[in-house]
């Protein structure tokens, strides 16, 4: 049985993330979507809010679970018994960023392999930071997140 982790900040989960989750779920026996801390980023949504949004988005996908953890990604993978990390690639900039992450992770935990899924072209411009900016300036986020009508996106 192969268990994979799809890690990220998910601040918030986007339709691009959800597509990668579904495709990973079709390849691996189990996929855990794991919220981890990116030391280079502050987050707009709390961990609890991000968990709620992801759980709402993946409800009904039988082999996908959701969790949050702290510390190193590879330690998290070891704790939950996953030997595969899944990451999505949207652009050349992502490749450069991902290469650094992979080199650090494989140095610490050579037994864990990272695999990459190329984002669909229609998702290439979608990012959590774009969603956060649109929310701040009051522009709708329909089609960018799986659950645009969720109460957490409602602002008075
Ligand atoms: O969605 P993101 O922000 O690109 O995800 C990045 C994330 C959270 C996967 C990465 O920052 C991470 O693995 N954080 C945990 C800390 C860690 O393991 N650092 C070592 C790798 S640089």
């Amino acid at each position: 049985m192969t268990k994979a982790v799809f890690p990220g900040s998910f601040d918030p989960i986007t339709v691009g993330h959800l597509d990668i989750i579904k495709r990973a779920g079709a390849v691996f026996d189990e996929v855990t979507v794991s919220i981890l801390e990116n030391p280079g980023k502050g987050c707009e949504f709390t961990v609890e809010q991000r968990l709620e949004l992801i759980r709402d988005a993946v409800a009904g996908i039988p082999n996908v679970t959701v969790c949050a953890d702290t510390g190193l990604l590879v330690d998290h993978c070891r704790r939950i018994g996953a030997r595969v990390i899944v990451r999505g690639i949207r652009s050349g900039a992502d490749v450069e960023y991902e290469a650094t992450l992979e080199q650090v992770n494989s140095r610490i935990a050579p037994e864990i392999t990272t695999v990459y899924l190329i984002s669909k072209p229609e998702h290439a411009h979608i990012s959590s930071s774009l969603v956060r900016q649109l929310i701040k300036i009051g522009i709708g986020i329909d089609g960018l997140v799986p659950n645009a009508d969720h109460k957490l996106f409602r602002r008075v």
Side-chain angles (χ1 to χ4, degrees), residues 6-11 17 34-41 69-75 85 87 90 97-98 100-102 104-105 108 128:
F6 180 50
S9 310
F10 303 111
D11 187 38
H17 291 131
S34 303
I35 298 175
L36 283 154
E37 198 179 317
N38 181 337
K41 290 183 185 170
D69 205 350
T70 53
L72 289 180
L73 168 58
V74 289
D75 288 340
I85 295 168
R87 294 282 288 170
R90 291 165 302 183
Y97 171 65
E98 293 302 328
T100 307
L101 285 189
E102 199 281 333
V104 174
N105 289 334
I108 312 169
S128 299

